[in-house]
Amino acid sequence: MTTRRTPALRPSAIAAALMLAGSSAFAQSATEAELARKLDQLAAELASVKAQLQQLQQQRPVAPQATVPAPVAAATPSPGRPAEPATMLSSYGEINYNRPTRASENTQADLRRFVLGFQHRIDPKNKVVAELEVEHSVSSSGDPGEVAIEQAYIEHQINPRWAVRGGLFLMPVGLLNENHEPTAYYGVERNFVETAIIPTTWREGGVQFVGSFDNGLTLQTGISTSFDLTKWDAASSEGLESPLGSIHQELALAKARDLAVFGALNWRGIPGLQLGGSLFTGGATHGQAGASARVTLWDLHSRWTPGRWDLSALYSRGSISNTAALNAALVGNPTLIPKSFDGWYAQAAYKLWTHEDYALSPFVRFEQFNTARSYADLGPGLTPAGAPTERVVTLGANFQLTPGIVVKADVQNFRENKDANRINLGLGWSF
């Protein structure tokens, strides 16, 4: 039997095998090194993107942008994604401390307002919106507080562009009236122009159409209740504090013989920029006075938020017609009905410091207003002189604890009524 011998490997073959194995190991090592290099590169790029995102977030202004009031139909939830709740609760409130610098005995602390609201979507095209407000903590016959319905309306989405509201709603005037939560404006107190000239928070009952267009334009227009000049109290100073605030009706057994029409345009076609204006005009005597009269109020406003800045300005003017006939029966009283009233302000805020949700934004605001700019002629010796124009400078800061909670502090100096100079502190929330 013949036995086959396995041929012996030659030294050259052994060397070739070792070189092949070394080459394979080297290639594998090179591939791993390349992968490691690419992973390091991706990690560096991700860190850069995170840094850029953090920088963009820090450049957002503290105060939220005024929301576009045009409603949007509820979106159909995606598969596997929970639907939005049909009913949503909301609230806002503020606690203020005011210390006059020349009369510290008049220092006050006040739960200025506490508001509870809800929004219930009946179906994708219809919803109910309502808010209940309590002012000054306690409301009774012997207390200064007040309970009021701030909003109560039904909204129907006609199509993706147009909606209609019916009920008690906020009037689309100025920058503050529809966006008046304490987290939405600078300073402890609301500015004087949008409280003394525009009677924020101003609401009327009626029908309102809201249109939102692709070019950034929002149109609001409708018919509503108006003011009631038969409520004018010539013996008090309430009309000098706010002519329209003293005669608004708030849909509380409101006289409605004379109605009003209103319209507002706001353009937000450039990110961070809002330009707008509004007009309201309506009868205000309802056939119950010796003469008929009409109230007209208009405003122009702008807001720009480039980077860390938040800049805004507003001018508003109101007039009441036929006041000579109405004032003839009021001569001898301290507060007659003014023919015209107006005011304007300019404001600048800067987000100075941020850390996580914290944000500090100093601001300065200059405003001037006159609640009795002029009176209709009543004859020699009877026509009152126009009131002096008040000028107020407010310097302070908003400190955001987290979106929805703000601590405020400011100092206010008055040019005419220097006894009103004061230091203000405030705490507010909104969700």
Side-chain angles (χ1 to χ4, degrees):
M1 183 175 180
T2 305
T3 303
R4 298 186 63 184
R5 297 177 58 186
T6 303
L9 293 175
R10 297 180 179 179
S12 59
I14 295 174
L18 289 174
M19 291 178 63
L20 180 61
S23 175
S24 176
F26 178 81
Q28 183 178 1
S29 177
T31 302
E32 291 176 353
E34 178 66 17
L35 287 174
R37 187 186 65 81
K38 290 184 177 181
L39 286 175
D40 291 341
Q41 183 179 358
L42 287 174
E45 292 177 354
L46 180 59
S48 176
V49 170
K50 287 183 177 180
Q52 294 178 17
L53 179 60
Q54 184 177 6
Q55 184 178 4
L56 290 174
Q57 289 176 340
Q58 291 177 350
Q59 291 178 353
R60 292 181 303 174
V62 173
Q65 295 292 318
T67 55
V68 180
V72 179
T76 303
S78 303
R81 183 178 179 181
E84 293 182 0
T87 303
M88 299 178 63
L89 296 179
S90 61
S91 173
Y92 72 87
E94 53 188 321
I95 301 172
N96 296 349
Y97 172 87
N98 309 106
R99 183 181 179 88
T101 57
R102 295 194 175 191
S104 60
E105 66 274 13
N106 296 326
T107 300
Q108 288 185 334
D110 184 32
L111 176 57
R112 187 75 80 234
R113 53 185 55 87
F114 174 77
V115 179
L116 285 175
F118 79 91
Q119 174 179 301
H120 178 73
R121 185 168 291 281
I122 299 172
D123 56 45
K125 289 189 175 182
N126 298 281
K127 68 179 180 180
V128 179
V129 178
E131 284 185 348
L132 177 67
E133 178 182 37
V134 179
E135 293 186 352
H136 309 301
S137 188
V138 181
S139 177
S140 69
S141 60
D143 294 296
E146 177 185 47
V147 177
I149 303 295
E150 192 164 276
Q151 298 186 76
Y153 65 85
I154 294 174
E155 179 179 286
H156 173 70
Q157 195 76 34
I158 301 172
N159 55 44
R161 176 165 292 176
W162 285 97
V164 59
R165 297 170 180 171
L168 178 68
F169 47 76
L170 300 173
M171 300 301 290
V173 179
L175 292 170
L176 189 63
N177 198 60
E178 288 189 299
N179 300 279
H180 51 265
E181 298 80 5
T183 54
Y185 61 88
Y186 295 97
V188 176
E189 304 293 345
R190 298 169 178 176
N191 71 78
F192 287 100
V193 178
E194 293 188 270
T195 51
I197 306 302
I198 300 173
T200 302
T201 305
W202 173 22
R203 58 263 195 189
E204 298 286 354
V207 177
Q208 178 182 174
F209 291 90
V210 184
S212 180
F213 301 89
D214 295 337
N215 61 358
L217 188 68
T218 300
L219 169 64
Q220 295 169 265
T221 186
I223 300 174
S224 72
T225 52
S226 185
F227 295 96
D228 179 16
L229 275 166
T230 66
K231 293 172 59 178
W232 188 271
D233 185 358
S236 77
S237 61
E238 186 179 3
L240 276 179
E241 295 171 2
S242 174
L244 299 185
S246 67
I247 59 172
H248 63 174
Q249 301 196 79
E250 301 174 316
L251 209 61
L253 297 177
K255 296 176 182 178
R257 178 183 180 272
D258 297 335
L259 298 178
V261 294
F262 64 89
L265 283 173
N266 281 281
W267 182 72
R268 300 176 178 87
I270 298 176
L273 178 64
Q274 176 185 353
L275 300 173
S278 69
L279 173 65
F280 171 95
T281 183
T285 49
H286 308 281
Q288 299 182 12
S292 62
R294 174 173 293 273
V295 171
T296 300
L297 180 71
W298 60 271
D299 91 280
L300 295 173
H301 55 261
S302 64
R303 186 180 183 187
W304 187 32
T305 55
R308 292 174 174 262
W309 288 97
D310 191 345
L311 311 173
S312 58
L314 179 144
Y315 175 79
S316 181
R317 181 178 180 85
S319 62
I320 302 174
S321 68
N322 210 12
T323 55
L326 296 174
N327 283 333
L330 304 177
V331 171
N333 287 283
T335 308
L336 301 188
I337 303 171
K339 178 183 178 181
S340 65
F341 40 94
D342 68 345
W344 66 272
Y345 74 83
Q347 177 181 272
Y350 183 77
K351 182 187 279 191
L352 182 64
W353 174 83
T354 60
H355 176 68
E356 297 178 345
D357 284 340
Y358 299 131
L360 177 65
S361 296
F363 76 95
V364 61
R365 180 173 63 241
F366 178 83
E367 54 188 319
Q368 66 177 41
F369 60 98
N370 193 320
T371 57
R373 174 71 64 185
S374 64
Y375 290 91
D377 185 23
L378 296 175
L382 298 178
T383 305
T389 297
E390 183 62 273
R391 295 171 176 83
V392 184
V393 177
T394 304
L395 180 65
N398 282 18
F399 180 69
Q400 175 187 281
L401 293 178
T402 189
I405 300 178
V406 64
V407 178
K408 305 180 181 184
D410 61 56
V411 177
Q412 292 186 302
N413 287 303
F414 296 73
R415 181 170 179 177
E416 294 295 327
N417 182 16
K418 295 186 181 300
D419 289 337
N421 292 351
R422 60 190 180 182
I423 299 171
N424 305 310
L425 301 174
L427 171 67
W429 70 88
S430 174
F431 63 86

